[in-house]
């Protein structure tokens, strides 16, 4: 029965992005889940020491960018270094959502 349960789980790679004023950041996340359909709500779990956590807590906004299987390099760009030390968006094109959160135009969905 465990095998059936594990094959039914949906896994993906996501880039969670946020902004406070001119400070923008993103981080790779594997734990994103839909919480409700009406209203449509999602949740992410981000450890409190993470820079993204600090920015999300201050701004109250974030976006979830859904990556495809062939976007591993994009996922790595946001996954191995802290945004406190480097600008993960340097040289990368992005859009701004209605909330102000950065959106990666090359992402499958957001």
């Amino acid at each position: 029965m465990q095998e059936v349960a594990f094959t039914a789980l949906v896994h993906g790679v996501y880039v969670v992005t946020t902004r406070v004023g001119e400070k923008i950041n993103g981080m790779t996340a594997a734990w994103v889940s839909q919480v409700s359909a009406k209203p449509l709500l999602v949740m992410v779990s981000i450890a409190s020491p993470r820079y993204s956590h600090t920015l999300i807590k201050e701004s109250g906004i974030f976006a979830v960018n859904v990556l495809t299987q062939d976007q591993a390099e994009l996922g790595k760009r946001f996954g191995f270094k802290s945004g406190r030390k480097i600008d993960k968006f340097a040289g990368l094109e992005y859009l701004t959502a209605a909330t102000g959160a950065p959106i990666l135009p090359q992402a499958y969905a957001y």
Side-chain angles (χ1 to χ4, degrees):
M1 195 56 139
Q2 253 182 335
E3 290 176 23
V4 173
F6 285 124
T7 59
L9 292 175
V10 178
H11 296 283
V13 176
Y14 313 91
V15 175
V16 177
T17 55
T18 188
R19 154 181 260 133
V20 172
E22 295 303 309
K23 294 184 230 173
I24 60 173
N25 195 51
M27 62 168 280
T28 302
W31 296 97
V32 173
S33 183
Q34 183 175 339
V35 177
S36 73
K38 287 187 180 183
L40 182 58
L41 297 173
V42 297
M43 68 98 202
V44 297
S45 181
I46 301 173
S48 58
R50 301 282 183 253
Y51 185 52
S52 291
H53 182 277
T54 302
L55 296 179
I56 292 169
K57 189 172 179 180
E58 186 175 334
S59 68
I61 64 161
F62 68 91
V64 177
N65 297 266
V66 182
L67 303 186
T68 63
Q69 286 181 324
D70 61 338
Q71 292 180 306
E73 290 305 311
L74 184 58
K76 288 177 185 177
R77 177 184 186 125
F78 288 93
F80 292 111
K81 296 182 180 178
S82 172
R84 284 187 181 97
K85 298 179 181 176
I86 66 161
D87 178 2
K88 296 180 186 183
F89 282 88
L92 190 64
E93 189 177 321
Y94 67 92
L95 309 170
T96 302
T99 63
I103 302 299
L104 302 172
Q106 63 272 54
Y108 178 68
Y110 73 91

